[in-house]
């Protein structure tokens, strides 16, 4: 008995599988595909046998009956991966509690409670300690809430990233479904650039190369065909197209098992976060130095006082509490000095921008892209689908020496009837066989054209000529396909004719295909030699079409006799030109205005396309990209230039036509390395991946883009619109400016708090701002300040200034001017209150020091409140424009003021404050408000 029969008899279908109408279990399917087990596949009857056992058809797919779909899900599972559970709110609370400075303060609070209760009893002795505990808890919960909300937001964005649709056959009709809805038995249509959505088997296709590096690490692509039919989830189609039978989904796939072993990591720190962490470390060290000196001076002051009183040998609990307060102030100076709000502000601003950009049809895949886009100085854009609508139609055609317009609204019976029958037959055979698209009958008996916009346009032209896609396909057998290649700029197909013999059909870039022709069809449809006059006529036709912004394609064919091997390459010369078609892809509305906005913003827009140079120039002029001083160049000419020539030429290049993927990569590389530009690049195909990787910001097209292009990109433009790219640039600049505003605000608070407490400690022996007060100030300037300033939406003026570029200083001269000017004002005000406050306010009643320190604290806080408003604009005097539209800013400011009133009037025992009278409140607020006209005057001072 043959071995195969023995193996077959060894496999027993589980009862529940058989009861559901299937003849093979998920584990058996998994072992066949994952193990690349050809023997076992043959035992089950090959791909057709597996299809039968899965109760599916390799032509029509599975049934869409709800009952049958549910049974399939129960047996084989769904195409989803188990996600790691989201971290709960209390995890973020626990992480926030691990902050070192807060832990030191917690120890201070504990010692304060113990000593205070022991010496003064409960509750009086616990006030200071409880005040610090409450401040710590407030900081912890605000930080944890902020981090938790961000984690939820990033999870939503991550979910959005994974939305991928695929073409499947179900019930005999083609349809698009989410990869999550795929089930074993589905017939999936894959083409170049797609990600394989599940494990499966090759059914039919041509020239399929699969990149399995994501699973195996091997960069060499694998040929997938009838002899090696195994397709694995997570791999990518590098070349060709095919139909695949889904066998295994979700966690049972090899990719699913791999994902189960990995923990999902968040985004790495962005460059700006890294830079600001460095700034925070330096400021922290300065703060630590000031804290140590402040503590030493205050302890020395206490010791000197006790020495003068003659009590230096007797130390009480009150003395211990005083030293503890000194230590708490020193630690709090470090807390205030360390601007932990800087990285928080970056994250908040980026998260806010990411969410808003999602509404503006831009999905940010990497956080760093937001801030980098704000520095962009150059955008290298595709033409098709980005600057144009990607809705293509054939407007003109030159067939048999006759140029005619195509009326897509009425059909083209006159056009078709004027073509000789023999030429018409060749034209339709070329259109319907040499294509990456398909004409299918959808639900409701509706004709649907599937494929790229170019393929769709040509297929539609074929249908208008009266052609029948299915009839043409059935009339001849496709033997070999060479899919479109962006390097060769052409595609070809070999067909076996019904009457015997083989014929090659080729189409692609007009000048390339025409150069491969030595014959053409004359006005009678006869094949005649391609003489000089005919070549000139066809070239003039190409130029005429191109000058009208039409994309031109040439169709050609060749008879290759009675013998052809599928392993042999498709011929490269000796073709007969069938004709030339001119395809119109209208410019997107708003592109011209967006290009003008980029120019006023100092961003150079360059168009990189595979089109004919005349077509490219016509579109570029229409868009406003090509100017009188700009250069348009073709890829082959660009490749011949030396590095020295390129460095002189590239700044002037505005259009690159007939470009290959490596031309695009080289252009981007030179712009970045030689000219030091920050470059954003758009791409939609697998071949764009090198340029997208090389660029500072890769922008993939969400509609026309392949999964490979999307994975290589930093931002996915969901509507494929150039105007959206400008919106991304605007949000990028907004992020950068917002963080600059926040840094300006925070450094001002840092400088003043440090100098006030340090100078006061050195000169008077005590600090006017207590630990609890400093923690509240820290809250205002860190978390609340970040919330208020880092979430400002962009305004139109952002695109009227020059980009920061690669070498711009983050803390600009304008910021230093504002920081130093505002710090000097605040320091002088507080120092004046400290030295002259008692006399000015006639504080000669009980506890004048407490009243004065409360007044200083209140004035200091209101200085920050009004400085926060002033920080909304770093250069403009009008800081109120649009303030009411920013609800977060208004809410933060309102909460800050309300809580400050509560601290002063109600929480005196915990915050070391006492209620103030109306005059004192008025003066505190007035002195804070005066910081605004001071800020306005500072903005009049010009700095380089």
């Amino acid at each position: 008995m043959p071995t195969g029969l023995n193996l077959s008899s060894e496999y027993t279908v589980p009862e529940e599988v058989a009861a559901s109408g299937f003849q093979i279990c998920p584990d058996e399917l998994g072992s066949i595909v994952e193990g690349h087990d050809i023997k076992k596949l043959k035992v089950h009857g090959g791909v057709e046998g597996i299809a039968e056992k899965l109760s599916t058809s390799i032509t029509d797919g599975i049934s869409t009956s709800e009952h049958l779909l549910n049974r399939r899900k129960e047996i084989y599972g769904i195409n989803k991966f188990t996600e790691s559970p989201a971290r709960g709110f209390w995890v973020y609370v626990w992480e926030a509690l691990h902050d070192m400075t807060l832990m030191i303060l917690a120890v201070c609070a504990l010692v304060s409670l113990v000593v205070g209760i022991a010496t003064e009893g409960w509750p009086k002795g616990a006030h200071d300690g409880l005040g610090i505990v409450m401040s710590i808890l407030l900081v912890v919960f605000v930080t944890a809430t902020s981090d938790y909300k961000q984690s939820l937001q990033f999870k939503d964005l991550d979910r959005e990233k994974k939305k991928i649709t695929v073409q499947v056959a179900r019930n005999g009709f083609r349809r698009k479904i989410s990869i999550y809805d795929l089930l074993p038995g589905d017939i999936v249509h894959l083409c170049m650039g797609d990600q394989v959505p599940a494990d499966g088997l090759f059914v039919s296709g041509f020239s399929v190369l699969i990149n399995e590096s994501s699973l195996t690490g091997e960069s060499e692509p694998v040929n997938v065909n009838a002899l090696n039919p195994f397709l694995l989830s997570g791999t990518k189609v590098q070349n060709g197209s095919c139909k695949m039978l889904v066998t295994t989904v979700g966690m049972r796939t090899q990719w699913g098992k791999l994902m189960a072993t990995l923990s999902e990591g968040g985004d790495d720190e962005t460059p700006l976060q890294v830079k600001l962490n460095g700034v925070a470390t330096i400021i922290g060290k300065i703060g630590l130095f000031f804290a140590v000196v402040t503590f030493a001076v205050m302890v020395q002051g206490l010791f000197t006082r006790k020495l003068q009183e003659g009590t230096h040998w007797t130390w009480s609990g009150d003395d211990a509490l005083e030293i503890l307060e000194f230590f708490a102030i020193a630690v709090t100076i470090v807390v205030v000095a360390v601007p932990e709000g800087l990285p928080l502000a970056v994250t908040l601003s980026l998260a806010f921008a990411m969410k808003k950009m999602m509404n503006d049809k831009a999905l940010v895949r990497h956080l760093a892209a937001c801030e980098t886009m704000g520095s962009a100085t150059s955008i290298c854009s595709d033409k098709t689908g980005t600057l144009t609508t990607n809705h293509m139609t054939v407007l003109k055609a030159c067939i048999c020496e006759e140029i005619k317009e195509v009326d897509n609204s009425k059909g083209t019976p006159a056009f078709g009837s004027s073509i000789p029958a023999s030429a018409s037959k060749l034209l339709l055979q070329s259109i319907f066989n040499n294509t990456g698209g398909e004409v299918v009958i959808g639900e409701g008996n509706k004709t649907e054209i599937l494929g790229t916009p170019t393929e769709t346009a040509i297929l539609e032209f074929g249908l208008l000529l009266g052609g029948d896609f299915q009839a043409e396909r059935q009339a001849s057998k496709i033997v070999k396909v060479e899919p479109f290649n962006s390097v060769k700029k052409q595609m070809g197909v070999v067909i076996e004719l019904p009457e015997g013999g083989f014929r090659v059909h080729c189409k692609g870039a007009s000048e390339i295909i025409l150069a491969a022709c030595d014959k053409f069809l004359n006005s009678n449809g006869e094949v005649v030699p391609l003489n000089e006059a005919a070549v000139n006529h066809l070239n003039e036709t190409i130029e005429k079409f191109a000058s009208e912004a039409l994309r031109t394609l040439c169709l050609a064919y060749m008879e290759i006799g009675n013998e052809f091997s599928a392993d042999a390459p498709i011929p490269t010369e000796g073709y007969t030109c069938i004709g030339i078609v001119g395809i119109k892809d209208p410019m997107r509305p708003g592109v011209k205005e967006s290009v003008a906005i980029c120019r006023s913003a100092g961003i150079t827009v360059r168009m990189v396309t595979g089109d004919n140079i005349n077509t490219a120039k016509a579109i570029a002029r229409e868009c406003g990209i090509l100017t009188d001083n700009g250069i348009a160049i073709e890829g082959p000419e660009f490749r011949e230039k030396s590095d020295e020539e390129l460095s002189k030429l590239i700044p002037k290049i505005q259009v690159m036509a007939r470009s290959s993927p490596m031309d695009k990569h080289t252009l981007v590389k030179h712009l970045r390395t030689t000219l030091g530009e920050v470059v954003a690049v758009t791409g939609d195909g697998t071949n764009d991946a090198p340029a997208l990787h090389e660029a500072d910001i890769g922008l993939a097209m969400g509609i026309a883009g392949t999964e490979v292009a999307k994975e290589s990109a930093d931002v996915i433009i969901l509507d494929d619109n150039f105007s959206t790219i400008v919106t991304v640039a605007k949000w990028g600049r907004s992020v950068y400016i917002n963080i600059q505003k926040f840094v300006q605000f925070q450094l001002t608070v840092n400088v003043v708090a440090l100098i006030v407490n340090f100078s006061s400690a050195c000169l008077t022996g005590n600090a006017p701002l207590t630990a609890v007060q400093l923690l509240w100030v820290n809250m205002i300037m860190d978390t609340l300040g970040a919330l208020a300033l880092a979430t400002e939406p962009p305004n139109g003026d952002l695109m009227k200034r020059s980009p920061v570029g690669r070498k711009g200083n983050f803390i600009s001269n304008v910021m230093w001017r504002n920081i130093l000017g505002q710090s000097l004002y605040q320091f002088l005000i507080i120092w004046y209150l400290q030295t002259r406050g008692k006399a000015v306010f006639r504080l000669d009643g009980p506890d004048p020091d407490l009243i004065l320190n409360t007044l200083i604290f209140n004035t200091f806080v209101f200085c920050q409140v009004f400085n926060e408003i002033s920080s909304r604009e770093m250069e403009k005097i009008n800081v109120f424009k649009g303030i009411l539209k920013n609800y977060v800013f208004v809410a933060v400011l309102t909460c800050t003021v309300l809580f400050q009133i509560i601290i002063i009037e109600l929480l005196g025992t915990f915050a070391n404050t006492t209620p103030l009278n109306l005059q004192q409140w008025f003066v505190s607020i007035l002195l804070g408000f005066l910081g605004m006209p001071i800020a306005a005057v500072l903005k009049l001072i010009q700095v380089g």
Side-chain angles (χ1 to χ4, degrees):
M1 190 180 285
T3 315
L5 292 177
N6 286 333
L7 277 167
S8 183
S9 62
E10 285 173 16
Y11 176 69
T12 307
V13 183
E15 284 180 23
E16 67 271 20
V17 174
S20 296
F22 307 111
Q23 297 301 311
I24 190 165
C25 70
D27 291 338
E28 182 75 357
L29 284 168
S31 67
I32 292 169
V33 178
E34 195 177 327
H36 287 46
D37 197 328
I38 287 283
K39 278 187 180 179
K40 202 180 271 190
L41 179 63
K42 284 180 180 174
V43 164
H44 286 285
V47 177
E48 290 83 0
I50 295 287
E52 193 178 327
K53 290 182 177 186
L54 278 168
S55 296
T56 188
S57 158
I58 57 174
T59 53
D60 294 345
I62 62 176
S63 165
T64 53
S65 157
E66 194 70 31
H67 170 63
L68 295 174
L69 288 176
N70 287 337
R71 272 205 322 214
R72 203 174 283 273
K73 286 176 188 173
E74 284 168 18
I75 299 297
Y76 298 105
I78 56 172
N79 198 32
K80 287 187 179 175
F81 304 122
T82 305
E83 291 186 5
S84 53
R87 296 198 301 169
F89 172 72
W90 294 106
V91 175
Y92 290 98
V93 171
W94 181 248
E95 284 182 357
L97 282 166
H98 280 71
D99 183 89
M100 184 54 70
T101 47
L102 290 182
M103 286 164 76
I104 294 168
L105 280 173
V107 172
C108 288
L110 181 65
V111 175
S112 176
L113 281 168
V114 171
V115 176
I117 292 168
T119 54
E120 297 182 50
W122 175 269
K124 192 180 178 185
H127 289 162
D128 287 350
L130 286 175
I132 297 173
V133 168
M134 284 170 64
S135 302
I136 290 169
L137 289 175
L138 186 62
V139 170
V140 164
F141 275 95
V142 171
T143 306
T145 303
S146 172
D147 289 346
Y148 178 61
K149 282 194 170 181
Q150 280 172 57
S151 74
L152 294 178
Q153 193 170 315
F154 287 135
K155 207 152 188 74
D156 289 343
L157 288 167
D158 196 51
R159 205 172 289 120
E160 198 68 35
K161 287 180 200 174
K162 294 172 182 172
K163 283 185 180 175
I164 302 169
T165 58
V166 287
Q167 291 265 1
V168 300
R170 283 187 176 180
N171 267 9
F173 298 115
R174 283 276 285 273
R175 63 184 71 197
K176 272 188 176 181
I177 66 167
S178 164
I179 57 164
Y180 299 128
D181 295 330
L182 277 179
L183 293 167
D186 265 321
I187 302 298
V188 180
H189 295 256
L190 297 173
C191 58
M192 188 168 72
D194 285 346
Q195 183 170 305
V196 179
D199 286 0
L201 295 166
F202 172 91
V203 176
S204 62
F206 298 97
S207 314
V208 180
L209 281 177
I210 300 291
N211 184 333
E212 294 187 346
S213 59
S214 56
L215 282 177
T216 63
E218 293 291 330
S219 57
E220 198 63 35
V222 176
N223 270 300
V224 172
N225 45 43
L227 299 174
N228 176 37
F230 306 108
L231 290 154
L232 298 174
S233 174
T235 59
K236 296 176 184 70
V237 184
Q238 192 165 312
N239 199 17
S241 59
C242 69
K243 282 203 302 186
M244 172 184 106
L245 168 65
V246 175
T247 57
T248 319
V249 292
M251 296 306 290
R252 286 193 173 100
T253 64
Q254 195 168 336
W255 183 253
K257 289 170 185 173
L258 176 66
M259 293 297 282
T261 65
L262 302 174
S263 58
E264 194 173 311
D267 266 290
D268 292 332
E269 285 189 320
T270 72
L272 196 51
Q273 281 175 320
V274 172
K275 194 187 289 185
L276 291 178
N277 279 339
V279 172
T281 304
I282 292 166
I283 296 170
K285 286 176 180 174
I286 295 167
L288 185 63
F289 167 77
F290 275 92
V292 170
V293 173
T294 303
F295 178 69
V297 167
M298 287 194 292
V299 170
Q300 189 260 339
L302 173 65
F303 191 77
T304 304
R305 193 175 77 239
K306 287 186 73 65
L307 201 63
Q308 288 168 351
E309 292 170 357
T311 57
H312 55 284
W313 295 116
T314 55
W315 291 79
S316 65
D318 285 345
D319 295 330
L321 275 174
E322 203 168 343
I323 291 172
L324 192 66
E325 175 64 17
F326 295 160
F327 182 68
I329 288 169
V331 172
T332 314
I333 284 175
V334 176
V335 174
V336 174
V338 175
E340 65 268 28
L342 292 183
L344 172 66
V346 178
T347 312
L348 271 174
S349 192
L350 291 173
F352 176 73
M354 281 174 79
K355 190 175 180 182
K356 292 293 183 184
M357 277 196 267
M358 189 70 210
N359 298 336
D360 289 336
K361 303 296 181 189
L363 172 62
V364 178
R365 295 185 74 249
H366 303 126
L367 266 181
C370 285
E371 65 190 48
T372 313
M373 195 66 195
S375 307
T377 56
S378 181
I379 297 173
C380 294
S381 174
D382 282 347
K383 175 187 77 71
T384 307
T386 309
L387 300 169
T388 58
T389 59
N390 215 11
H391 294 142
M392 300 192 190
T393 48
V394 175
L395 280 196
K396 287 188 176 181
C398 176
I399 314 288
C400 298
E401 299 184 283
E402 192 175 358
I403 299 172
K404 284 213 170 185
E405 289 194 14
V406 179
D407 188 344
N408 288 278
S409 60
K410 298 175 185 174
T412 54
F415 188 103
S417 60
S418 67
I419 303 171
S422 58
S424 180
K425 186 180 177 183
L426 280 167
L427 177 61
L428 291 172
Q429 191 180 68
S430 176
I431 287 172
F432 291 133
N433 284 292
N434 187 23
T435 178
E438 272 188 90
V439 180
V440 298
I441 305 301
E443 292 180 76
N445 222 25
K446 191 179 173 186
T447 301
E448 286 183 49
I449 303 174
L450 305 172
T452 65
T454 307
E455 295 287 11
T456 303
I458 295 172
L459 287 171
E460 192 174 26
F461 177 54
L463 294 174
L464 286 168
L465 289 170
D468 185 328
F469 179 84
Q470 300 300 339
E472 282 292 344
R473 280 295 182 93
Q474 287 163 13
S476 49
K477 181 187 174 187
I478 294 175
V479 178
K480 183 180 177 73
V481 174
E482 279 188 4
F484 179 80
N485 184 302
S486 57
V487 177
K488 292 181 180 177
K489 306 284 182 201
Q490 63 187 62
M491 74 173 290
V493 63
V494 179
I495 59 170
E496 188 176 353
L497 301 168
E499 63 269 21
F502 295 89
R503 183 178 288 160
V504 182
H505 283 285
C506 190
K507 78 168 180 226
S510 298
E511 59 270 36
I512 293 171
I513 301 298
L514 192 57
C517 295
D518 55 16
K519 296 178 281 297
F520 78 108
L521 299 178
N522 68 9
S523 55
N524 298 318
E526 298 163 345
V527 177
V528 294
L530 192 62
N531 56 30
E532 192 178 340
V535 169
N536 289 339
H537 174 257
L538 290 169
N539 277 326
E540 283 169 14
T541 301
I542 292 167
E543 285 183 25
K544 184 175 183 295
F545 285 5
S547 65
E548 294 170 17
L550 297 180
R551 186 179 195 178
T552 64
L553 288 178
C554 183
L555 284 72
Y557 81 100
M558 182 200 297
E559 308 290 358
I560 53 172
N562 294 321
E563 289 187 15
F564 179 78
S565 166
D567 297 326
I570 288 179
T572 55
E573 56 186 16
Y575 285 89
T576 300
C577 176
I578 299 171
I580 292 159
V581 293
I583 300 170
K584 179 69 175 174
D585 186 8
M587 188 174 76
R588 279 187 181 274
V591 165
K592 193 169 186 177
E593 293 81 357
S594 296
V595 170
I597 289 169
C598 284
R599 186 165 283 123
S600 68
I603 302 171
T604 306
V605 181
R606 294 175 171 89
M607 187 169 89
V608 184
T609 178
D611 275 351
N612 171 296
I613 193 161
N614 292 318
T615 308
K617 282 161 78 173
I619 289 280
R621 282 201 182 95
E622 202 179 336
C623 296
I625 290 172
L626 185 59
T627 61
D628 294 339
N629 302 322
I631 291 174
I633 192 170
E634 286 190 312
E637 185 188 344
F638 178 80
R639 271 167 247 153
E640 290 171 8
K641 303 288 182 186
S642 66
D643 284 352
E644 193 177 329
E645 287 174 311
L646 284 176
S647 59
K648 292 177 183 174
L649 186 69
I650 282 176
K652 296 176 184 175
I653 290 177
Q654 290 175 341
V655 177
M656 190 188 287
R658 288 290 180 239
S659 67
S660 71
M662 286 318 294
D663 293 334
K664 196 173 184 179
H665 177 266
T666 305
L667 175 67
V668 173
K669 191 174 182 181
H670 270 277
L671 284 169
R672 291 184 72 237
T673 54
T674 311
L675 302 180
E677 294 207 27
V678 179
V679 186
V681 170
T682 72
D684 58 13
T686 308
N687 294 311
D688 288 318
L692 290 168
H693 275 302
E694 178 64 38
D696 294 284
I697 313 104
L699 304 159
M701 299 300 107
I703 300 169
T706 64
E707 291 310 316
V708 175
K710 290 176 190 175
E711 208 163 276
S712 304
D714 303 296
V715 181
I716 298 171
I717 306 299
L718 298 173
D719 61 356
D720 290 14
N721 198 333
F722 186 80
S723 304
T724 305
I725 296 170
V726 177
T727 303
V728 173
K730 194 195 291 184
W731 272 108
R733 288 189 174 195
S734 176
V735 167
Y736 198 88
I737 295 287
N738 283 350
I739 296 165
Q740 280 188 315
K741 291 175 189 175
F742 173 71
V743 167
Q744 175 186 296
F745 168 69
Q746 189 171 50
L747 289 184
T748 304
V749 188
N750 275 357
V751 169
V752 178
L754 277 178
I755 293 174
V756 164
N757 264 20
F758 175 72
S759 58
S760 180
C762 290
L763 297 170
T764 66
N766 57 52
L769 300 173
T770 67
V772 172
Q773 291 168 0
L774 281 172
L775 277 171
W776 169 233
V777 169
N778 190 59
M779 172 72 71
I780 293 171
M781 73 177 193
D782 272 356
T783 310
L784 297 178
L787 268 171
L789 292 169
T791 55
E792 281 276 347
N795 57 56
D797 295 338
L798 284 174
M799 298 304 280
K800 290 177 185 172
R801 60 176 81 191
S802 298
V804 177
R806 197 177 294 281
K807 296 173 184 175
N809 289 326
F810 180 74
I811 303 179
S812 63
N813 291 342
V814 167
M815 289 169 70
W816 280 123
R817 175 199 68 194
N818 295 342
I819 291 165
L820 296 175
Q822 190 66 224
S823 299
L824 180 62
Y825 166 72
Q826 290 187 18
F827 174 67
L828 289 174
I829 286 294
I830 288 164
W831 186 247
Y832 179 78
L833 285 174
Q834 236 181 324
T835 53
R836 307 285 302 148
K838 284 182 186 177
V840 171
F841 288 95
R842 298 191 181 97
L843 302 178
D844 45 17
D847 223 343
D849 288 332
L850 180 62
I851 297 170
L852 181 63
N853 285 347
T854 302
L855 192 61
I856 289 169
F857 168 56
N858 205 34
T859 304
F860 182 63
V861 167
F862 276 99
C863 278
Q864 307 328 314
V865 167
F866 288 104
N867 186 32
E868 202 164 351
I869 298 170
S870 296
S871 297
R872 289 188 72 238
E873 288 288 349
M874 290 190 291
E875 294 181 72
K876 288 185 179 175
I877 290 173
N878 183 4
V879 293
F880 293 104
K881 188 180 177 183
I883 193 169
L884 295 176
K885 290 179 183 175
N886 188 347
Y887 304 120
V888 177
F889 188 91
V890 174
V892 166
L893 226 58
T894 306
C895 289
T896 304
V897 172
L898 286 175
F899 204 71
Q900 179 65 15
I901 294 168
I902 292 166
I903 286 174
I904 299 293
E905 297 296 323
L906 303 174
L907 300 178
T909 35
F910 296 104
N912 284 38
T913 59
T914 187
L916 300 176
N917 61 37
L918 282 175
Q919 182 203 8
Q920 291 160 351
W921 270 106
F922 176 76
V923 171
S924 299
I925 295 169
L926 178 67
L927 291 174
F929 172 76
L930 286 175
M932 290 187 72
I934 297 289
V937 171
L938 286 170
K939 287 170 187 175
L940 297 174
I941 302 169
Q942 295 298 312
V943 288

